[in-house]
Amino acid sequence: MIDRAIPPTPDEVLARARELRRQLSGSFREEAVKSLYAEAERVAQRAVSQDGDTRALDFDQRVDHLVTSPWLGLPIMLALLSVVFWLTIAGANVPSAMLAQGLFWIEDQASGLFDAAGVPWWVTGFLWHGVYRGLAWVVSVMLPPMAIFFPLFTMFEDLGYLPRVAFNLDFLFRRAGAHGKQALTMAMGFGCNAAGVIATRIIDSPRERLVAILTNNFVPCNGRFPTLIMLGTIFVGASFAPGFASIAAAAAVVGVVVLGIGFTLLMSWLLSRTILRGEASTFTLELPPYRRPNIGRIFYTSLIDRTLFVLWRAMWTAAPAGAVIWLLANIHWGDHTLAAISAGWLDPLGRAIGLDGVILLAYVIAIPANEIVVPTLVMAYLGAGMMTEMSGLGDLRRLLVEQQGWTMLTAVNLMLFSLLHNPCATTILTMYKETLSAKWATVGALLPLGTAFLVCFLTATLARAFGLGV
Amino acid sequence: MSGHDCEACPVASELAPMGMQVGGVDRVIALAGNPNTGKSTLFNALTGLRQHTGNWPGKTVTRAEGGFAYDKVRYKIVDLPGTYSLLSASQDEEVARDFILFGQPHAVIVVTDASALERNLNLVLQVLEITDRVVVAVNLMDEARRKGLDVDTRSLARDLGVPVIPIVARTGEGLHALLTAVDGVSSGAVQTAPLRVTGTPEFEHAVRELMTHIEAAAPGVPNSRWLAIRLLDGDARVEEALRTGELTRLVSRQQQQDVRFSKQIALQGAQ
């Protein structure tokens, strides 16, 4: 008992609480929850009555039976994913080419005007061939696919399909020793890995939350989709007859996505067996009713919040990257440009994993935002001034294959590297903020990077052993 | 204040969304509820903001804040993460609970799903344990109707002891009645008599003893009963709040706010 004359200190109150807890018979928590549930049941039964028809309910259940069935659930999911990517790729081709044509025409006209006005060559070069060209690439490569992909993705989200995906993938995550809700945070990662890392707050167990944070980067975010879609289109798609081109390209992107999910599971499994050992905890997942998507909101959310937001961020990072590239390509050190020297230095490492030094250089420059890898790459290749005419994806393929000697191995490994490599600076910072640990943020950055190097090295070595690619 | 019972008339006449402007507000309202019951949709409908909504549980993991004015009162509204309970320790639940307890909102709107009422009531009862300034919004009435369910909100209001308002947040149906109830509860004009779950006599005895100690250690603390129950359960967050003096500081801050608030009203009266 506490003396009532003087106010007790907090520690005294806590000690008394512990004492009382010991004296109480049975599990306190259990008793409290039990009486709470009983009360809720009583109140609800009095207020709710079932009348009229239940056809709508039956329909929901029939659909759920189908899309979450053990046999058809995953195939239906893959089919939907394929349709979404096919629509994105087939639909984005033409607007992408038109945008590129228009934007590069402006570059030509403007730099021509600058030259005619007697502006020094390095001002024109820096502004128009450096900064502007970077921006033009970002807009023409990224805007059309995003403007198609995001509304479709948001529609499935509004409809209520995402929890079903989590339901379908639950058994895989459980076997990997991870939390089933990780399927939801992974799905968020397809939009943005930083958002996916924040979304892991829905996972109660700290161990499983950390697994989800560290492996979120293994699914491609929308900053990396344009790279994957472009590579799929100009390498995989272009190897097929025109009628099948976009189907083949979509299949390639779906393959990369499935591979990403595979790596997420594999790495979760490895982490749960090694540094983050433990069992998967159980949880209840609610399957919400299907709701008719709100078209106006879908367009607003996907176009303003996602497409323009991502594009804006990409442009802000692309402009300085374009400037850096132009400077590197135009500042000479001895006989060579800085770009050539640094790319040359990275070249042996790049070749060993089936890429080249310029690609690695582009990835280093693009650390702030993955969106700008391809534009940076192209600017780096163009920096040598070999080609000035760029008006569409066909020109891009000619540049990469004919002038830079890309092979199918380069394209495949670049897709793998894009999928697996380190998260962007924002995601690394978010991992630090969510874990409050520099150690885990470092692990979160190095784990994917190491995986990327290892996997690309293996595919390059294997391909070369069988005489494929160079 | 006449005409507020009219469910069909447009809410726009008195509702003025203020988006992100939350400076100089008169009252603070929290939006709690199970995941995927339409909290963010209601938040958007009131504030005119476009907080991302999605049809899956766990969409909101952080707090979102917005403002609106209704009947000349300016409100700040805080959209909390959806949770099934306030008992366990996941981070989203902690965000929600800490705000309801330590943020001291003038009222909490608990948004419930009309078609899954029993499960939703578990959370309502837990919120009622913390605060009596609660309005229950029974959302998704259209979906319940589609499923052939009939929800008697009067019976609910009688049992729970707080206003219960049927709404369809997506179409704006019932928002008028909801805001009138929020006005009444947050101003203190409407007195509530929240249902509190009582335990065994042995348990109640322990709770009462601990309540007196808590009130002695932290005078004027809000809802010592809830704090006593949490301490008996060994809740680390509440233990820490007591030990660091966060509870006491909160009380004095709240009293200062009350003084400022009544000063404001006095000034307005003078003009």
Side-chain angles (χ1 to χ4, degrees):
Chain A
M1 252 330 192
I2 302 171
D3 182 359
R4 303 211 171 185
I6 32 167
T9 65
D11 282 326
E12 280 169 339
V13 176
L14 293 181
R16 184 67 192 143
R18 271 194 296 276
E19 218 171 297
L20 286 168
R21 183 159 64 234
R22 262 199 307 277
Q23 286 167 12
L24 284 176
S25 55
S27 161
F28 172 80
R29 165 76 65 106
E30 214 170 280
E31 284 300 316
V33 169
K34 219 189 277 171
S35 49
L36 198 79
Y37 277 38
E39 193 68 41
E41 190 185 344
R42 197 178 59 81
V43 174
Q45 265 174 2
R46 273 222 289 259
V48 182
S49 53
Q50 177 85 48
D51 64 350
D53 71 315
T54 55
R55 263 176 308 181
L57 192 64
D58 295 342
F59 177 75
D60 269 20
Q61 277 171 350
R62 271 209 302 278
V63 173
D64 268 347
H65 199 67
L66 194 69
V67 299
T68 60
S69 87
W71 298 107
L72 284 173
L74 286 176
I76 288 176
M77 197 181 87
L78 282 180
L80 287 174
L81 198 66
S82 308
V83 169
V84 167
F85 282 123
W86 177 75
L87 287 173
T88 304
I89 289 168
N93 249 333
V94 174
S96 208
M98 279 165 56
L99 267 176
Q101 231 160 12
L103 292 173
F104 290 121
W105 180 82
I106 294 177
E107 181 190 330
D108 283 347
Q109 301 302 309
S111 59
L113 276 177
F114 268 52
D115 287 344
V119 177
W121 69 270
W122 55 268
V123 173
T124 314
F126 181 78
L127 277 182
W128 290 102
H129 303 311
V131 177
Y132 178 83
R133 185 175 288 179
L135 292 179
W137 262 111
V138 168
V139 173
S140 56
V141 171
M142 294 183 58
L143 182 59
M146 286 197 303
I148 299 172
F149 180 74
F150 287 155
L152 290 172
F153 185 83
T154 313
M155 193 188 74
F156 278 110
E157 195 184 339
D158 250 29
L159 194 66
Y161 187 64
L162 280 194
R164 273 87 187 171
V165 169
F167 186 87
N168 284 336
L169 292 177
D170 172 49
F171 79 100
L172 291 172
F173 278 99
R174 205 173 47 229
R175 260 191 233 166
H179 200 285
K181 279 188 191 167
Q182 197 181 325
L184 281 176
T185 64
M186 184 184 77
M188 284 297 283
F190 280 113
C192 167
N193 294 127
V197 169
I198 294 176
T200 60
R201 290 178 185 185
I202 60 175
I203 297 174
D204 313 0
S205 128
R207 180 192 76 84
E208 288 157 314
R209 185 166 175 230
L210 206 48
V211 170
I213 289 176
L214 296 179
T215 56
N216 192 273
N217 191 58
F218 286 112
V219 293
C221 65
N222 56 48
R224 290 181 275 167
F225 271 120
T227 308
L228 296 172
I229 289 171
M230 185 210 82
L231 291 168
T233 308
I234 65 175
F235 284 94
V236 183
S239 317
F240 287 79
F244 294 100
S246 42
I247 295 175
V253 178
V254 172
V256 169
V257 168
V258 171
L259 204 63
I261 298 175
F263 269 102
T264 304
L265 291 166
L266 178 70
M267 288 298 157
S268 302
W269 183 80
L270 280 176
L271 287 169
S272 310
R273 294 288 176 288
T274 54
I275 48 174
L276 291 171
R277 211 184 297 264
E279 292 301 310
S281 54
T282 54
F283 72 108
T284 47
L285 179 74
E286 191 179 356
L287 294 186
Y290 292 101
R291 292 185 180 137
R292 189 153 36 101
N294 181 335
I295 302 296
R297 180 146 296 145
I298 284 181
F299 275 100
Y300 186 90
T301 308
S302 54
L303 294 182
I304 308 291
D305 284 1
R306 287 186 167 153
T307 308
L308 287 187
F309 175 78
V310 171
L311 195 67
W312 192 242
R313 196 175 95 106
M315 281 165 62
W316 269 108
T317 42
V324 168
I325 282 288
W326 189 87
L327 288 174
L328 287 181
N330 284 283
I331 296 175
H332 289 258
W333 182 272
D335 291 339
H336 300 285
T337 64
L338 287 183
I341 292 169
S342 43
W345 187 74
L346 288 169
D347 209 48
L349 183 61
R351 297 278 168 202
I353 58 167
L355 305 173
D356 65 26
V358 179
I359 297 175
L360 287 186
L361 180 65
Y363 269 96
V364 173
I365 294 172
I367 282 176
N370 289 315
E371 288 88 336
I372 56 170
V373 165
V374 171
T376 310
L377 187 60
V378 173
M379 286 186 285
Y381 279 143
L382 290 177
M386 279 189 282
M387 188 178 183
T388 48
E389 193 68 27
M390 293 288 292
S391 55
L393 291 178
D395 291 327
L396 191 57
R397 182 183 159 85
R398 271 191 294 283
L399 168 75
L400 297 177
V401 174
E402 288 163 22
Q403 301 194 10
Q404 301 298 335
W406 278 31
T407 61
M408 193 58 117
L409 173 67
T410 325
V412 168
N413 267 13
L414 187 54
M415 283 175 99
L416 287 173
F417 197 79
S418 291
L419 173 71
L420 300 172
H421 81 98
N422 58 292
C424 70
T426 311
T427 306
I428 298 175
L429 195 67
T430 308
M431 288 197 283
Y432 172 73
K433 278 186 191 158
E434 292 294 313
T435 59
L436 289 176
S437 149
K439 184 185 95 182
W440 288 120
T442 313
V443 173
L446 294 184
L447 183 74
L449 190 63
T451 312
F453 273 103
L454 187 68
V455 169
C456 288
F457 177 73
L458 286 177
T459 50
T461 311
L462 271 177
R464 283 170 187 146
F466 288 99
L468 304 163
V470 186
Chain B
M1 298 280 273
S2 63
H4 280 182
D5 295 332
C6 155
E7 280 190 12
C9 53
V11 75
S13 51
E14 279 120 332
L15 174 68
M18 307 198 309
M20 301 282 280
Q21 297 170 35
V22 291
V25 291
D26 304 318
R27 294 177 206 159
V28 179
I29 307 292
L31 270 181
N34 280 18
N36 219 38
T37 49
K39 286 178 299 302
S40 299
T41 307
L42 179 61
F43 177 86
N44 288 345
L46 293 176
T47 59
L49 288 174
R50 292 173 186 267
Q51 173 79 2
H52 190 170
T53 56
N55 187 9
W56 57 282
K59 183 71 237 190
T60 311
V61 288
T62 49
R63 274 165 33 188
E65 298 185 353
F68 70 93
Y70 181 74
D71 217 19
K72 299 194 183 77
V73 181
R74 279 171 305 173
Y75 292 90
K76 176 166 100 170
I77 185 160
V78 181
D79 188 15
L80 299 174
T83 55
Y84 292 108
S85 88
L86 298 174
L87 297 170
S88 85
S90 77
Q91 221 179 343
D92 46 352
E93 287 192 14
E94 212 174 276
V95 169
R97 195 186 75 185
D98 281 3
F99 189 79
I100 296 173
L101 183 66
F102 301 117
Q104 296 272 308
H106 292 86
V108 180
I109 303 177
V110 187
V111 184
T112 58
D113 178 351
S115 58
L117 205 57
E118 187 183 320
R119 193 188 52 219
N120 282 240
L121 283 178
N122 290 325
L123 180 75
V124 173
L125 292 176
Q126 288 177 44
V127 175
L128 288 177
E129 299 264 317
I130 302 182
T131 169
D132 47 10
R133 294 188 161 194
V134 173
V135 175
V136 175
V138 184
N139 191 22
L140 305 167
M141 288 297 283
D142 51 344
E143 254 170 40
R145 283 194 286 267
R146 193 172 70 104
K147 289 180 182 173
L149 290 170
D150 182 52
V151 178
D152 181 357
T153 48
R154 279 183 197 185
S155 149
L156 273 178
R158 216 171 28 241
D159 281 345
L160 297 174
V162 295
V164 177
I165 314 292
I167 63 165
V168 181
R170 268 198 295 185
T171 60
E173 189 185 318
L175 289 197
H176 235 314
L178 178 67
L179 290 176
T180 309
V182 166
D183 175 55
V185 169
S186 61
S187 69
V190 170
Q191 287 297 317
T192 59
L195 171 68
R196 298 246 151 101
V197 181
T198 50
T200 58
E202 185 199 11
F203 164 74
E204 288 299 320
H205 185 76
V207 170
R208 264 197 299 278
E209 193 208 312
L210 210 49
M211 273 169 73
T212 58
H213 297 325
I214 292 170
E215 279 161 13
V221 78
N223 202 345
S224 56
R225 181 185 159 82
W226 187 81
L227 292 169
I229 294 174
R230 297 316 305 147
L231 285 186
L232 276 178
D233 194 23
D235 188 311
R237 179 78 180 89
V238 174
E239 283 176 0
E240 191 200 316
L242 184 68
R243 203 178 289 130
T244 58
E246 196 178 338
L247 284 176
T248 331
R249 271 203 302 281
L250 194 89
V251 174
S252 61
R253 198 171 63 212
Q254 191 57 32
Q255 282 162 351
Q256 280 166 8
Q257 272 175 357
D258 283 348
V259 171
R260 235 191 354 253
F261 195 63
S262 49
K263 258 189 202 159
Q264 251 176 14
I265 292 169
L267 281 173
Q268 279 164 359
Q271 284 166 359

